[in-house]
Amino acid sequence: MTTCVVALVVRKYGLANLEPYYQTADGALYNGDSIEIMRFMKSDSIDCIFADPPFNLGKDYGTKFVDKNENYVDWCGDWMAEGARILTEGGALFIYCMPSIAVRLVERLNRLLTFRHWIALTMKGSYPRGKKLYPAHYALLYYTKGKPKTFNSIRTPVQTCRHCGGEIKDYGGHRKALNPLGLNLTDFWDDTSPNRHAKYKVRPGVNELKITIPKRAVLLSTNPGDTVLDPFGGGGSTYEVCEQHSRKWIGIEKYDCSVIRTRLQRMQSQLQAEAV
Ligand SMILES: C[S@@+](CC[C@H](N)C(=O)[O-])C[C@H]1O[C@@H](n2cnc3c(N)ncnc32)[C@H](O)[C@@H]1O
């Protein structure tokens, strides 16, 4: 199984000279710096990039990684430019970040790629600093290289009250006319607050995303067999999505990769146990 990934990585992505930290039949995880590794990668070789970069908040994650970079926007400009280069025509780039970062990144992104959406995701549990409004959303920037080559429709369930189970909205009296598979996905996601409780996290200290976020991005913009890159692995959410939905993946994480390996190994064991 792993031999075929090595062959695939060598041929298609230009990573022949790098030894992956961990690999599966569908993907390979590299322990290194995202820009350095992306520079090795072939142009036009990746169908979707999902990036949840550090936010430059000066936080110490206890994994040798201190999230502080004097040249943060230039640094983002470098990996975004590499991302634009390695995307296939029509491929998609998603970047999850705070609005104050997003406004600075879009200046550069607009010169590299085609804007599709600024998706707003509810983010509760933060607090206002100084003369500011209470921050309640994060941005998921969605760009493509030219016209999108894949845009799968995604449906979300009709919202119900978690106490009584009843439906929250009446859809202006048109409830019966709604598609039984659910509602069309909008550019406002209010069901994506992060995994806050430590018991649901694979890696304490990392702002691991709720799996819904990379899952929607991947399912929206790729088909089975396509390749997804996540250059900031963290707890490995994107790689789990790819494994579960038959996408190939390339992962990069500069610091602790062991939690990602453990997560994927555990997931494989569960799948194998379910198959018996
Ligand atoms: C916000 S976390 C990503 C969380 C991930 N999306 C998840 O859901 O688990 C950002 C990650 O980027 C990693 N990182 C920071 N600088 C990096 C770099 N230059 N190259 C690769 N990874 C880096 C950090 O160690 C951290 O794990």
Side-chain angles (χ1 to χ4, degrees):
M1 294 254 273
T2 49
T3 325
C4 79
V5 171
V6 176
L8 181 138
V9 170
V10 168
R11 237 190 8 258
K12 219 177 146 190
Y13 309 113
L15 295 171
N17 297 324
L18 296 182
E19 181 70 26
Y21 172 90
Y22 176 67
Q23 54 195 333
T24 70
D26 282 331
L29 172 66
Y30 293 87
N31 188 192
D33 181 84
S34 48
I35 297 176
E36 284 175 19
I37 292 180
M38 287 166 89
R39 281 191 180 131
F40 278 105
M41 296 180 72
K42 281 192 184 162
S43 301
D44 307 309
S45 62
I46 295 289
D47 302 294
C48 169
I49 300 173
F50 183 91
D52 171 18
F55 290 168
N56 202 31
L57 297 174
K59 236 168 124 178
D60 184 345
Y61 288 94
T63 54
K64 295 191 201 142
F65 170 49
V66 179
D67 177 14
K68 192 73 202 154
N69 183 340
E70 297 295 321
N71 305 310
Y72 181 74
V73 175
D74 287 337
W75 174 73
C76 289
D78 286 348
W79 62 256
M80 293 187 310
E82 282 304 311
R85 178 185 65 77
I86 63 182
L87 273 182
T88 51
E89 198 58 38
L93 169 66
F94 293 87
I95 303 176
Y96 177 81
C97 57
M98 300 184 314
S100 56
I101 295 176
V103 290
R104 288 188 287 161
L105 300 193
V106 294
E107 285 177 21
R108 297 189 181 219
L109 282 167
N110 289 340
R111 283 183 246 135
L112 293 167
L113 294 165
T114 305
F115 175 76
R116 298 281 296 163
H117 285 285
W118 173 307
I119 300 165
L121 303 89
T122 48
M123 168 55 57
K124 296 177 184 116
S126 195
Y127 53 89
R129 291 189 181 90
K131 293 180 181 172
K132 292 221 169 144
L133 297 176
Y134 186 98
H137 86 279
Y138 272 23
L140 182 65
L141 301 174
Y142 169 26
Y143 280 74
T144 50
K145 191 163 172 174
K147 284 191 187 148
K149 63 176 176 168
T150 304
F151 187 76
N152 297 319
S153 114
I154 299 218
R155 294 197 173 266
T156 54
V158 168
Q159 278 189 329
T160 52
C161 167
R162 67 192 166 106
H163 301 293
C164 71
E167 291 182 2
I168 290 172
K169 295 183 187 164
D170 71 357
Y171 301 98
H174 297 291
R175 171 67 182 88
K176 287 205 176 82
L178 292 184
N179 190 313
L181 296 175
L183 308 167
N184 276 317
L185 186 66
T186 73
D187 60 5
F188 174 59
W189 299 357
D190 59 359
D191 54 354
T192 49
S193 276
N195 297 324
R196 291 218 176 270
H197 199 295
K199 76 176 177 184
Y200 298 117
K201 290 188 168 194
V202 297
R203 177 174 156 190
V206 165
N207 291 328
E208 188 190 318
L209 295 179
K210 198 166 185 175
I211 200 115
T212 316
I213 301 172
K215 182 174 165 186
R216 283 183 185 156
V218 166
L219 295 187
L220 184 78
S221 65
T222 64
N223 290 317
D226 284 348
T227 305
V228 177
L229 165 74
D230 184 333
F232 304 103
S237 317
T238 309
Y239 317 140
E240 178 172 326
V241 169
C242 292
E243 288 282 326
Q244 286 179 337
H245 296 276
S246 307
R247 270 63 172 179
K248 309 256 178 250
W249 59 271
I250 301 290
I252 308 171
E253 167 57 54
K254 189 167 182 177
Y255 301 95
D256 182 10
C257 286
S258 64
V259 282
I260 302 175
R261 181 182 55 198
T262 307
R263 177 184 195 155
L264 296 178
Q265 284 172 334
R266 198 174 293 149
M267 200 194 79
Q268 288 297 343
S269 311
Q270 275 167 6
L271 288 176
Q272 278 161 10
E274 283 164 18
V276 173

